[in-house]
Amino acid sequence: MSKIERANFGSKLGVILATAGSAVGLGNVWRFPYMAGENGGAVFIIIYVGCVLLLGIPCMISEFIVGRHGQSNTARAFRKLAGGTPRALIGYMGVLTGFLITGYYAVVSGWCLQYMWASLSGHLQGDPEYFKTYFMEMSSDPVKPVFWTVVILLMAHLIIENGVRNGIEKASKVMMPTLFVLLLLIVGASCMLPNAYKGVEFLFKPDFSKIDSDVFLGALGQSFYSMSIAMGCLCTYASYFSEKTNLTKAASQIAIIDCVVAILAGLMIFPAAFSVGVEPDSGPSLIFITLPNVFQQAFSGMPVMGYIISLLFFVLLSLAALTSLMSLHEVSTAFVQEELHTTRRRAALAVTVTTAIIGAFCSLSLGAYDGLTFFGEALFDWFDFVTGQIFLPVVGFLTCIFIGWYVPHQIVRDEFSNRGELKDYVRYFHRYLFLIKYVCPLAILFIFLHQLGLLN
Ligand code: PHE
């Protein structure tokens, strides 16, 4: 009965684009390409794809199963399957992880907007030193980054407030195709530069000697983060899927989009960087310091082109960040709306205000206000560490155990095969169950111990 009332995505394309919007984010641009280049090129990419197929997709399907079965926010969806046991806490942890990371992710998303504005207004020009100082001053400023954090949160807010179909789905249908077009344009421009092949070589050249356990675990961790696993996003979005959505197919299509974007991001970054002889790196400094400089130098013969590419790049980043931020915001909004029985508007407002406060503190901890450091690390870095390195693996691990060992297999099978309608998939069910029962939890346990330095 409640199934009829519940909001849902209006089309298959909407499902894929919205969920791929969550998956495609800053992680695809600032970490994957560099990891691939540094860790054995094509060999790394094959390992990464292996992780996605064997571990990422089954974990994604599991969250889809919980969400679509529950037809509600992540906490309630787990509660429905937990039968009054403390296992329901996994859902609450998922919501908490999503909530905490929203504030942190909003800060970095805000930087993307600020850079978009700076490139538009022509402020992103100067020598390499200038870009470094610009970033340092920008990120430690007490006002500007907080302002842009609030702006991007308000953008997410306005979309979310309009609901699932009119907000999230419509926005994703515009933003995701735009993102692809921009990506292809920049890849084209980058690959036409002199010596671009060196960058392509860096990204793809197979080097087996680089492969060790670190690389495996790094690929695994990155695949989970990149697929938005364990943050409540997949579960929440899946609660808006229809009964007919083929979960395995959807997960596979989203994974393909995510991988393709990550590889294209490499083809956007490295050819340009190598053509001007700049060593690429990863993380915020890659996109906010190295690349603006690279684009400017690479197109120094045609300054207009440099201006345009730099602007398009930051538009692309802002779109990637916003679609991910939206999915994070939705986790908490759905939770507040359904658990506190309030309107979507009020729920979204509560989430926007609280995450803006968290975001502001994270941002101020980067230099504007010294009191926001703990044990020598800024609050910003703590959020990154706690959500990404602790909560993500813990929630991911517990979700696998929950689905594989505790939820009645009949329920899991029904969701997996749409109550037997997807005949072919009944056959795959045992493979999926095997992965989720044994392989995924073990793999996540390894990443966790590795990240904590207890295993190498
Ligand atoms: N998957 C996103 C990225 O690649 C990050 C993200 C994680 C977004 C979890 C939402 C939820 O950047």
Side-chain angles (χ1 to χ4, degrees):
M1 164 194 81
S2 65
K3 275 193 176 170
I4 298 167
E5 289 163 20
R6 187 164 175 79
N8 56 24
F9 289 122
S11 63
K12 270 190 207 159
L13 187 68
V15 164
I16 302 297
L17 290 183
T19 319
S22 172
V24 171
L26 297 171
N28 297 57
V29 183
W30 84 20
R31 262 189 72 206
F32 175 84
Y34 183 74
M35 284 183 97
E38 274 291 280
N39 294 318
V43 190
F44 177 87
I45 295 179
I46 293 169
I47 294 177
Y48 182 83
V49 171
C51 292
V52 168
L53 289 178
L54 281 181
L55 307 159
I57 292 181
C59 286
M60 189 179 248
I61 297 175
S62 305
E63 281 193 49
F64 283 171
I65 288 177
V66 178
R68 191 177 60 178
H69 178 267
Q71 293 286 302
S72 54
N73 70 80
T74 303
R76 189 178 298 185
F78 272 87
R79 215 162 62 214
K80 280 188 185 165
L81 287 172
T85 63
R87 281 169 228 135
L89 287 177
I90 307 171
Y92 287 85
M93 280 181 71
V95 175
L96 182 66
T97 316
F99 174 70
L100 293 178
I101 211 173
T102 311
Y104 156 84
Y105 207 81
V107 174
V108 189
S109 310
W111 293 347
C112 299
L113 269 193
Q114 161 147 16
Y115 267 68
M116 184 171 109
W117 177 248
S119 21
L120 187 69
S121 56
H123 281 89
L124 226 47
Q125 278 159 6
D127 58 10
E129 223 18 68
Y130 171 81
F131 289 109
K132 215 184 257 170
T133 326
Y134 185 87
F135 178 69
M136 295 303 169
E137 282 177 1
M138 183 280 295
S139 58
S140 58
D141 190 276
V143 182
K144 275 192 211 152
V146 177
F147 169 77
W148 289 107
T149 303
V150 173
V151 172
I152 197 138
L153 271 170
L154 282 177
M155 291 166 91
H157 175 96
L158 288 177
I159 296 170
I160 297 280
E161 203 185 44
N162 277 307
V164 174
R165 235 183 244 206
N166 283 328
I168 300 173
E169 183 170 353
K170 259 194 189 159
S172 307
K173 280 185 172 167
V174 176
M175 292 199 276
M176 291 306 285
T178 314
L179 185 147
F180 294 131
V181 172
L182 292 181
L183 189 59
L184 291 177
L185 281 177
I186 307 178
V187 168
S190 177
C191 287
M192 280 192 307
L193 289 164
N195 289 325
Y197 74 93
K198 284 190 191 156
V200 180
E201 227 175 62
F202 176 72
L203 181 64
F204 291 121
K205 196 171 171 205
D207 180 355
F208 287 91
S209 70
K210 295 267 175 65
I211 304 305
D212 56 14
S213 62
D214 265 15
V215 170
F216 259 98
L217 294 171
L220 201 52
Q222 169 66 10
S223 67
F224 276 51
Y225 181 77
S226 191
M227 293 175 81
S228 300
I229 286 166
M231 304 275 178
C233 299
L234 302 175
C235 193
T236 308
Y237 273 13
S239 72
Y240 308 129
F241 289 4
S242 91
E243 285 178 347
K244 297 220 156 52
T245 306
N246 178 339
L247 300 184
T248 310
K249 205 164 150 192
S252 312
Q253 288 169 340
I254 293 156
I256 292 174
I257 296 178
D258 192 50
C259 286
V260 168
V261 170
I263 294 172
L264 285 175
L267 286 175
M268 158 173 90
I269 295 168
F270 296 134
F274 280 83
S275 98
V276 291
V278 169
E279 273 290 300
D281 49 359
S282 74
S285 63
L286 168 73
I287 56 180
F288 298 113
I289 300 174
T290 313
L291 284 179
N293 171 36
V294 162
F295 289 138
Q296 189 187 306
Q297 283 192 40
F299 298 99
S300 58
M302 287 178 287
V304 181
M305 189 72 177
Y307 173 87
I308 294 176
I309 293 293
S310 174
L311 177 62
L312 295 186
F313 175 71
F314 285 107
V315 174
L316 180 155
L317 272 186
S318 305
L319 289 175
L322 182 57
T323 48
S324 294
L325 187 65
M326 238 158 65
S327 73
L328 287 164
H329 195 299
E330 178 63 22
V331 174
S332 309
T333 301
F335 174 79
V336 174
Q337 183 189 350
E338 290 167 7
E339 298 305 309
L340 303 184
H341 306 288
T342 178
T343 60
R344 190 170 181 82
R345 266 194 107 177
R346 286 204 189 139
L349 188 66
V351 175
T352 304
V353 172
T354 43
T355 49
I357 295 173
I358 295 180
F361 277 112
C362 280
S363 177
L364 292 174
S365 75
L366 288 175
Y369 185 58
D370 283 342
L372 291 169
T373 48
F374 302 97
F375 301 100
E377 292 280 349
L379 188 67
F380 179 90
D381 297 316
W382 274 107
F383 267 85
D384 185 25
F385 174 75
V386 173
T387 51
Q389 320 245 333
I390 313 257
F391 282 23
L392 188 157
V394 170
V395 176
F397 176 81
L398 293 176
T399 306
C400 295
I401 299 289
F402 182 64
I403 285 283
W405 296 89
Y406 290 102
V407 176
H409 287 173
Q410 186 59 41
I411 296 183
V412 182
R413 187 185 297 122
D414 277 353
E415 285 299 333
F416 186 85
S417 65
N418 291 358
R419 273 149 293 280
E421 258 171 48
L422 305 169
K423 299 250 165 6
D424 289 348
Y425 289 82
V426 180
R427 280 188 290 138
Y428 299 141
F429 180 68
H430 289 286
R431 290 181 215 168
Y432 158 75
L433 201 63
F434 175 75
L435 291 172
I436 226 55
K437 264 179 119 160
Y438 305 102
V439 184
C440 297
L442 270 178
I444 299 175
L445 195 66
F446 281 130
I447 320 185
F448 187 52
L449 296 177
H450 173 74
Q451 277 172 347
L452 293 183
L454 300 173
L455 181 92
N456 41 41

